[in-house]
Coordinates of all heavy atoms in Angstrom, one line a residue:
T2176 N -15.7 30.3 -25.3 CA -14.4 30.3 -25.8 C -14.5 30.8 -27.3 O -15.4 30.5 -28.0 CB -13.8 28.9 -25.8 OG1 -14.6 28.0 -26.6 CG2 -13.6 28.4 -24.4
V2177 N -13.5 31.6 -27.6 CA -13.4 32.3 -28.9 C -12.0 32.0 -29.5 O -11.0 32.3 -28.8 CB -13.7 33.8 -28.8 CG1 -13.7 34.4 -30.2 CG2 -15.1 34.0 -28.2
P2178 N -11.8 31.5 -30.7 CA -10.5 31.4 -31.3 C -9.9 32.7 -31.7 O -10.6 33.6 -32.1 CB -10.7 30.5 -32.5 CG -12.2 30.7 -32.9 CD -12.9 31.0 -31.6
A2179 N -8.6 32.8 -31.4 CA -7.8 34.0 -31.9 C -7.2 33.6 -33.3 O -7.3 32.5 -33.7 CB -6.7 34.3 -30.9
K2180 N -6.7 34.6 -33.9 CA -6.1 34.3 -35.2 C -4.8 33.5 -35.0 O -4.5 32.7 -35.9 CB -5.7 35.7 -35.9 CG -6.9 36.4 -36.4 CD -6.5 37.7 -37.1 CE -7.7 38.5 -37.6 NZ -7.4 39.7 -38.3
L2181 N -4.1 33.7 -34.0 CA -2.9 32.9 -33.6 C -3.4 31.5 -33.2 O -4.2 31.4 -32.3 CB -2.1 33.6 -32.5 CG -0.7 33.1 -32.3 CD1 0.2 33.5 -33.5 CD2 -0.2 33.7 -31.0
E2182 N -2.9 30.5 -33.9 CA -3.4 29.1 -33.7 C -3.2 28.6 -32.3 O -4.0 27.9 -31.8 CB -2.8 28.2 -34.7 CG -3.0 26.7 -34.5 CD -4.5 26.4 -34.5 OE1 -5.3 27.1 -35.1 OE2 -4.9 25.4 -33.9
S2183 N -2.2 29.0 -31.7 CA -1.9 28.5 -30.3 C -2.7 29.1 -29.2 O -2.7 28.6 -28.1 CB -0.4 28.7 -30.0 OG -0.1 30.1 -29.9
A2184 N -3.5 30.1 -29.5 CA -4.2 30.9 -28.5 C -5.7 30.8 -28.6 O -6.2 30.6 -29.7 CB -3.8 32.4 -28.5
T2185 N -6.4 30.8 -27.5 CA -7.8 30.8 -27.4 C -8.2 31.8 -26.4 O -7.6 32.0 -25.3 CB -8.4 29.4 -27.1 OG1 -9.8 29.5 -27.1 CG2 -7.9 28.9 -25.8
L2186 N -9.3 32.5 -26.6 CA -9.8 33.5 -25.7 C -11.0 32.9 -24.9 O -11.9 32.3 -25.4 CB -10.3 34.8 -26.4 CG -9.3 35.4 -27.4 CD1 -9.9 36.6 -28.1 CD2 -8.0 35.8 -26.8
V2187 N -11.0 33.2 -23.6 CA -12.0 32.6 -22.7 C -12.7 33.7 -21.9 O -12.1 34.5 -21.3 CB -11.3 31.6 -21.7 CG1 -12.4 31.0 -20.7 CG2 -10.6 30.5 -22.4
F2188 N -14.0 33.7 -22.0 CA -14.9 34.6 -21.3 C -15.8 33.9 -20.4 O -16.6 33.0 -20.8 CB -15.6 35.5 -22.3 CG -16.6 36.5 -21.6 CD1 -16.1 37.5 -20.8 CD2 -17.9 36.4 -21.8 CE1 -17.0 38.4 -20.2 CE2 -18.8 37.3 -21.2 CZ -18.3 38.3 -20.4
T2189 N -15.8 34.1 -19.1 CA -16.6 33.5 -18.1 C -17.5 34.5 -17.5 O -17.1 35.6 -17.1 CB -15.7 32.8 -17.0 OG1 -14.7 32.0 -17.6 CG2 -16.6 32.0 -16.1
H2190 N -18.8 34.2 -17.4 CA -19.8 35.1 -16.8 C -20.7 34.5 -15.8 O -21.0 33.3 -15.8 CB -20.6 35.8 -18.0 CG -21.5 34.8 -18.7 ND1 -22.7 34.4 -18.4 CD2 -21.2 34.1 -19.9 CE1 -23.2 33.5 -19.2 NE2 -22.3 33.3 -20.1
G2191 N -21.1 35.3 -14.9 CA -22.0 34.9 -13.8 C -22.4 36.2 -13.1 O -22.8 37.2 -13.8
V2192 N -22.3 36.3 -11.8 CA -22.5 37.6 -11.2 C -21.3 38.5 -11.5 O -21.4 39.7 -11.7 CB -22.7 37.5 -9.7 CG1 -22.7 38.8 -9.0 CG2 -24.0 36.7 -9.4
D2193 N -20.1 37.8 -11.6 CA -18.9 38.5 -12.0 C -18.6 38.2 -13.5 O -19.2 37.3 -14.1 CB -17.7 38.0 -11.2 CG -17.8 38.4 -9.7 OD1 -18.7 39.3 -9.4 OD2 -17.1 37.9 -8.9
L2194 N -17.6 38.9 -14.0 CA -17.1 38.6 -15.4 C -15.6 38.4 -15.3 O -14.9 39.0 -14.5 CB -17.3 39.8 -16.3 CG -18.8 40.3 -16.5 CD1 -18.8 41.5 -17.4 CD2 -19.7 39.2 -16.9
F2195 N -15.1 37.4 -16.0 CA -13.7 37.1 -16.1 C -13.3 36.8 -17.5 O -14.0 36.1 -18.2 CB -13.3 36.0 -15.2 CG -11.9 35.6 -15.2 CD1 -10.9 36.3 -14.4 CD2 -11.4 34.6 -16.0 CE1 -9.6 36.0 -14.4 CE2 -10.1 34.2 -16.0 CZ -9.1 34.9 -15.2
F2196 N -12.1 37.4 -17.9 CA -11.6 37.1 -19.3 C -10.1 36.8 -19.2 O -9.4 37.4 -18.4 CB -11.9 38.3 -20.2 CG -11.3 38.2 -21.6 CD1 -12.0 37.6 -22.6 CD2 -10.0 38.7 -21.9 CE1 -11.5 37.4 -23.9 CE2 -9.4 38.5 -23.1 CZ -10.2 37.9 -24.1
T2197 N -9.7 35.9 -20.0 CA -8.3 35.6 -20.1 C -7.9 35.0 -21.4 O -8.8 34.7 -22.3 CB -7.9 34.6 -19.0 OG1 -6.5 34.5 -18.9 CG2 -8.5 33.2 -19.2
R2198 N -6.6 34.9 -21.7 CA -6.1 34.2 -22.9 C -5.3 33.0 -22.6 O -4.4 33.1 -21.7 CB -5.3 35.3 -23.7 CG -4.8 34.8 -25.0 CD -4.2 35.9 -25.8 NE -2.8 36.1 -25.5 CZ -2.3 37.3 -25.1 NH1 -3.1 38.3 -25.0 NH2 -1.0 37.4 -24.8
L2199 N -5.6 31.9 -23.2 CA -4.9 30.7 -22.9 C -4.1 30.2 -24.1 O -4.5 30.5 -25.3 CB -5.9 29.6 -22.5 CG -6.8 29.8 -21.3 CD1 -7.6 28.6 -21.0 CD2 -5.9 30.1 -20.1
A2200 N -3.1 29.4 -23.8 CA -2.3 28.7 -24.9 C -2.2 27.2 -24.4 O -1.3 26.9 -23.7 CB -0.9 29.3 -25.0
P2201 N -3.2 26.4 -24.8 CA -3.2 25.0 -24.3 C -1.9 24.2 -24.6 O -1.5 23.4 -23.9 CB -4.4 24.4 -25.1 CG -5.3 25.6 -25.4 CD -4.3 26.7 -25.7
S2202 N -1.3 24.5 -25.8 CA -0.1 23.8 -26.1 C 1.1 24.7 -26.1 O 2.1 24.5 -26.8 CB -0.2 23.2 -27.6 OG -1.2 22.2 -27.6
R2203 N 1.0 25.7 -25.3 CA 2.0 26.8 -25.1 C 2.1 27.6 -26.5 O 1.5 27.2 -27.5 CB 3.4 26.2 -24.7 CG 3.3 25.5 -23.4 CD 4.7 25.1 -22.9 NE 4.7 24.3 -21.7 CZ 4.6 24.8 -20.5 NH1 4.4 26.1 -20.3 NH2 4.6 24.0 -19.4
T2204 N 2.8 28.7 -26.4 CA 2.9 29.5 -27.6 C 4.0 29.0 -28.6 O 5.0 29.6 -28.7 CB 3.2 31.0 -27.2 OG1 4.3 31.0 -26.3 CG2 2.0 31.6 -26.4
Y2205 N 3.6 27.9 -29.3 CA 4.6 27.3 -30.1 C 4.8 28.1 -31.4 O 5.8 27.9 -32.2 CB 4.2 25.9 -30.5 CG 2.9 25.7 -31.1 CD1 2.7 25.9 -32.5 CD2 1.8 25.4 -30.3 CE1 1.4 25.7 -33.1 CE2 0.5 25.3 -30.9 CZ 0.4 25.4 -32.3 OH -0.9 25.3 -32.8
D2206 N 3.9 29.0 -31.8 CA 3.9 29.7 -33.0 C 4.2 31.2 -32.8 O 4.0 32.0 -33.8 CB 2.6 29.5 -33.8 CG 1.4 29.9 -33.0 OD1 1.6 30.2 -31.8 OD2 0.3 29.9 -33.5
S2207 N 4.7 31.6 -31.6 CA 5.0 33.0 -31.4 C 5.9 33.1 -30.2 O 6.1 32.2 -29.5 CB 3.7 33.8 -31.1 OG 3.1 33.4 -29.9
L2208 N 6.6 34.2 -30.1 CA 7.4 34.5 -29.0 C 6.6 35.0 -27.8 O 5.6 35.7 -28.0 CB 8.5 35.5 -29.4 CG 9.5 35.1 -30.5 CD1 10.3 36.3 -30.9 CD2 10.3 33.9 -30.1
T2209 N 7.0 34.7 -26.6 CA 6.3 35.2 -25.5 C 6.5 36.7 -25.3 O 7.4 37.3 -25.8 CB 6.8 34.5 -24.2 OG1 8.2 34.7 -24.0 CG2 6.6 33.0 -24.3
E2210 N 5.5 37.3 -24.5 CA 5.5 38.7 -24.4 C 6.7 39.2 -23.6 O 7.2 40.4 -23.7 CB 4.2 39.2 -23.7 CG 3.0 39.0 -24.6 CD 1.8 39.6 -23.9 OE1 1.9 40.0 -22.8 OE2 0.7 39.5 -24.6
D2211 N 7.3 38.4 -22.7 CA 8.5 38.8 -21.9 C 9.8 38.3 -22.6 O 10.8 38.3 -22.0 CB 8.4 38.2 -20.5 CG 8.3 36.6 -20.5 OD1 8.1 36.1 -21.6 OD2 8.4 36.0 -19.5
F2212 N 9.7 38.0 -23.9 CA 10.9 37.6 -24.6 C 11.9 38.8 -24.7 O 11.4 39.9 -25.0 CB 10.6 37.1 -26.0 CG 11.8 36.7 -26.8 CD1 12.3 35.5 -26.6 CD2 12.3 37.5 -27.8 CE1 13.4 35.1 -27.4 CE2 13.4 37.1 -28.5 CZ 14.0 35.9 -28.3
S2213 N 13.1 38.6 -24.5 CA 14.1 39.7 -24.5 C 14.6 39.9 -25.9 O 15.5 39.2 -26.4 CB 15.3 39.3 -23.5 OG 16.3 40.3 -23.5
Y2214 N 14.0 40.9 -26.5 CA 14.5 41.2 -27.9 C 15.9 41.9 -27.9 O 16.7 41.7 -28.8 CB 13.5 42.2 -28.6 CG 12.2 41.5 -28.9 CD1 11.1 41.5 -28.0 CD2 12.0 40.8 -30.1 CE1 9.9 40.9 -28.3 CE2 10.8 40.2 -30.4 CZ 9.8 40.2 -29.5 OH 8.6 39.6 -29.8
A2215 N 16.2 42.6 -26.8 CA 17.5 43.2 -26.7 C 18.6 42.2 -26.6 O 19.6 42.3 -27.3 CB 17.5 44.1 -25.4
L2216 N 18.3 41.1 -25.8 CA 19.3 40.0 -25.7 C 19.5 39.3 -27.1 O 20.6 39.0 -27.5 CB 18.9 39.0 -24.7 CG 19.8 37.8 -24.4 CD1 21.2 38.3 -24.0 CD2 19.3 36.9 -23.4
L2217 N 18.4 39.1 -27.8 CA 18.5 38.5 -29.1 C 19.3 39.4 -30.1 O 20.1 38.9 -30.8 CB 17.1 38.3 -29.7 CG 17.0 37.8 -31.1 CD1 17.6 36.4 -31.2 CD2 15.5 37.8 -31.6
L2218 N 19.1 40.7 -30.0 CA 19.8 41.7 -30.9 C 21.3 41.6 -30.5 O 22.2 41.6 -31.4 CB 19.3 43.1 -30.7 CG 19.9 44.1 -31.6 CD1 19.7 43.8 -33.1 CD2 19.3 45.5 -31.3
I2219 N 21.6 41.6 -29.2 CA 23.0 41.6 -28.8 C 23.7 40.3 -29.3 O 24.8 40.3 -29.7 CB 23.1 41.7 -27.3 CG1 22.7 43.1 -26.8 CG2 24.5 41.4 -26.8 CD1 22.5 43.3 -25.3
T2220 N 22.9 39.2 -29.2 CA 23.5 37.9 -29.6 C 23.8 37.9 -31.1 O 24.8 37.4 -31.5 CB 22.5 36.8 -29.3 OG1 22.2 36.8 -27.9 CG2 23.1 35.4 -29.6
I2221 N 22.9 38.5 -31.9 CA 23.1 38.5 -33.3 C 24.3 39.4 -33.7 O 25.1 39.0 -34.5 CB 21.8 39.0 -34.0 CG1 20.6 38.0 -33.9 CG2 22.0 39.3 -35.5 CD1 19.3 38.5 -34.4
V2222 N 24.3 40.6 -33.0 CA 25.5 41.5 -33.3 C 26.8 40.8 -32.9 O 27.8 40.9 -33.6 CB 25.3 42.8 -32.5 CG1 26.6 43.6 -32.6 CG2 24.1 43.6 -33.1

Side-chain angles (χ1 to χ4, degrees):
T2176 59
V2177 181
K2180 290 182 180 178
L2181 195 67
E2182 171 56 28
S2183 64
T2185 182
L2186 309 179
V2187 180
F2188 177 65
T2189 308
H2190 61 89
V2192 175
D2193 295 345
L2194 303 181
F2195 179 81
F2196 175 87
T2197 190
R2198 185 172 80 235
L2199 299 182
S2202 299
R2203 302 189 184 276
T2204 51
Y2205 58 84
D2206 52 355
S2207 65
L2208 298 174
T2209 59
E2210 294 185 356
D2211 57 352
F2212 180 80
S2213 178
Y2214 290 93
L2216 181 60
L2217 176 63
L2218 182 61
I2219 292 172
T2220 304
I2221 293 173
V2222 171

